[in-house]
Amino acid sequence: PIQAPVPAQPGYDQPTAGDASTFSRNSGNATPSSTPMKQTLASKYGDGFVSSASDPKLAYQYGNIGTGNPYGGFERPGPAGAAVGATSEREQAPISSTMNFDELALPADVATIRDSFMSVLETLQTTSSITAADKRQLAEAEKGVAVVVKKLARQVISDDLKAQISSLAMSLINRDFATASHIQTSLVNTSWKEHKDWLKGVKLLIQLSSKKLPQSVAPGYHHAGY
């Protein structure tokens, strides 16, 4: 008997390696390689992990500003590390030497020290015998007084040191310049590194006062007023 012909089956040819690469290039699902970008970011920030903590641009984009430092206080690479250094410099900015005391809320004991220094300065300013050279020294003395009063107001001076400054100011008020000079010298020997920004000015104030103002009745004797 004659057998019926078998219908031809459709061919399903497996794609070759070349066909697969062509399909991948033509497909809309192809994923571009991100290796060059990762390498660039890794070389910029020192590692292969990039987050908003180490990239200030990403921090600005995602609002992650002012959060904790994942580097634990160590200087980190890139612009973010420079920003941390700038903040540190601002926090350690020197105290102004201008006499804008009206802007300060002074405790009573600090206000008394300020008033004592200011009284001596004002007396020197109105002294008829003061010369041009004396006025230059007086300007430096005013800067020293401004700095020490502001440091006292900010409470960056210890209680022990504040007590010595109070005694120095009282000695000037009583025109006991020997005692005032002794206290200033002692402070220079023990606290010059931390407080040289005002100790020099206070020394000039003592020197000018001893030259231009009459001294007390007896050295070491404190009396009220002038």
Side-chain angles (χ1 to χ4, degrees):
I2 299 175
Q3 295 182 351
V6 178
Q9 299 294 327
Y12 295 97
D13 297 333
Q14 298 296 325
T16 63
D19 294 332
S21 62
T22 302
F23 176 78
S24 177
R25 288 195 301 269
N26 295 333
S27 172
N29 297 326
T31 303
S33 174
S34 59
T35 301
M37 180 181 296
K38 290 182 179 178
Q39 291 175 347
T40 302
L41 292 174
S43 62
K44 182 178 181 181
Y45 294 102
D47 53 30
F49 178 76
V50 180
S51 69
S52 59
S54 59
D55 186 347
K57 293 183 179 179
L58 291 178
Y60 181 82
Q61 178 180 354
Y62 294 106
N64 186 19
I65 300 176
T67 56
N69 179 12
Y71 289 83
F74 295 96
E75 183 180 358
R76 55 189 178 186
V84 172
T87 301
S88 177
E89 291 176 2
R90 285 196 299 270
E91 291 173 354
Q92 301 177 3
I95 295 177
S96 169
S97 60
T98 56
M99 291 185 133
N100 51 343
F101 296 146
D102 294 338
E103 302 176 3
L104 301 176
L106 301 178
D109 55 347
V110 177
T112 299
I113 295 173
R114 176 204 59 190
D115 294 343
S116 299
F117 280 130
M118 292 301 298
S119 178
V120 176
L121 287 170
E122 291 169 1
T123 302
L124 288 170
Q125 289 169 351
T126 58
T127 301
S128 58
S129 62
I130 195 167
T131 65
D134 294 334
K135 289 181 179 179
R136 288 192 292 271
Q137 289 186 343
L138 187 58
E140 292 300 315
E142 290 176 350
K143 293 178 182 179
V145 169
V147 172
V148 67
V149 171
K150 290 179 179 180
K151 280 192 168 184
L152 288 168
R154 296 186 183 184
Q155 299 181 347
V156 296
I157 290 180
S158 67
D159 291 340
D160 177 67
L161 185 56
K162 181 168 68 172
Q164 295 182 67
I165 296 170
S166 178
S167 297
L168 190 157
M170 185 58 64
S171 298
L172 283 175
I173 283 289
N174 292 322
R175 300 188 181 182
D176 181 1
F177 305 126
T179 299
S181 180
H182 175 76
I183 295 173
Q184 193 273 343
T185 301
S186 176
L187 293 177
V188 167
N189 293 334
T190 59
S191 308
W192 174 256
K193 182 178 180 180
E194 299 84 0
H195 300 293
K196 60 184 177 182
D197 49 357
W198 59 267
L199 280 170
K200 182 179 179 180
V202 169
K203 179 180 181 179
L204 292 174
L205 179 61
I206 297 170
Q207 291 176 340
L208 279 173
S209 299
S210 63
K211 288 193 305 180
K212 302 298 180 181
L213 303 178
Q215 297 193 19
S216 61
V217 175
Y221 174 74
H222 300 286
H223 58 87
Y226 283 99

